[in-house]
Amino acid sequence: LRLAGFDHAWVGASQVFHQYRFRPELPYYYYLERNRFWLLLVYLRWRTLLLLLPAIVFMECGQLAFATSKGRLTDKLRSYAHFWRVTTWRELATRRRELHALRKLSDREFMARFTGRIESPELEPIGLVRWIANPVLSAYWAVVKRGLRW
């Protein structure tokens, strides 16, 4: 809705209850990873994806290590395999056309409130996230968002 130019507001007194809760066994890890890529590929312009590619590759290295440490490497690899199907790319192209036809915001406007941090209470205690991933991603995002002109 935001990409289509609809206004949105924040109501501080509101409460949202989400049924998802982080579980160490990660039963939906495949879907989380598949959908993360799906959203990037549908919402962002190709130029933006190219600009973000180093950060995406950096994150993928972390995700592969995380998946391996949690015994979910098979799910992670399945999420990649999903994008090797011709039917996936046909559907992706259709969704991109539909969304971009409604689009009123540039990627710069859409991503104005994005940060270069992994915000997750479950992952914050992990030293690699706090001391390596977040500083690297924050520095990269500080540079990249200035180059995002479209």
Side-chain angles (χ1 to χ4, degrees), residues 72-141:
R72 292 292 179 181
L73 183 59
T74 301
D75 290 335
K76 179 65 180 154
L77 297 176
R78 275 183 50 223
S79 74
Y80 292 147
H82 177 76
F83 292 96
W84 284 96
R85 299 181 193 142
V86 172
T87 55
T88 297
W89 285 94
R90 283 186 190 134
E91 184 180 354
L92 181 67
T94 300
R95 298 291 171 249
R96 279 183 64 84
R97 272 193 305 276
E98 292 169 353
L99 180 90
H100 290 266
L102 299 173
R103 186 181 194 124
K104 302 283 188 250
L105 295 180
S106 67
D107 278 0
R108 182 182 182 90
E109 294 165 316
F110 177 62
M111 298 173 72
R113 295 187 187 127
F114 284 25
T115 68
R117 295 184 45 80
I118 300 168
E119 301 285 345
S120 172
E122 293 84 11
L123 297 177
E124 188 59 27
I126 299 173
L128 290 173
V129 172
R130 176 184 277 168
W131 303 112
I132 296 174
N134 280 341
V136 168
L137 292 171
S138 291
Y140 187 76
W141 180 240

Side-chain angles (χ1 to χ4, degrees), residues 1 3 18 30-46 48-49 52 56 60 79 82-83 88-89 91-93 95-97 99-100 103 107 110-111 114:
L1 290 171
L3 269 177
H18 198 288
Y30 161 76
Y31 296 107
L32 290 169
E33 288 302 292
R34 182 198 66 186
N35 294 348
R36 186 169 58 86
F37 272 111
W38 184 264
L39 291 174
L40 287 172
L41 292 170
V42 169
Y43 282 85
L44 301 179
R45 290 188 166 95
W46 294 118
T48 303
L49 288 169
L52 294 175
I56 293 169
E60 281 311 294
S79 74
H82 177 76
F83 292 96
T88 297
W89 285 94
E91 184 180 354
L92 181 67
R95 298 291 171 249
R96 279 183 64 84
R97 272 193 305 276
L99 180 90
H100 290 266
R103 186 181 194 124
D107 278 0
F110 177 62
M111 298 173 72
F114 284 25

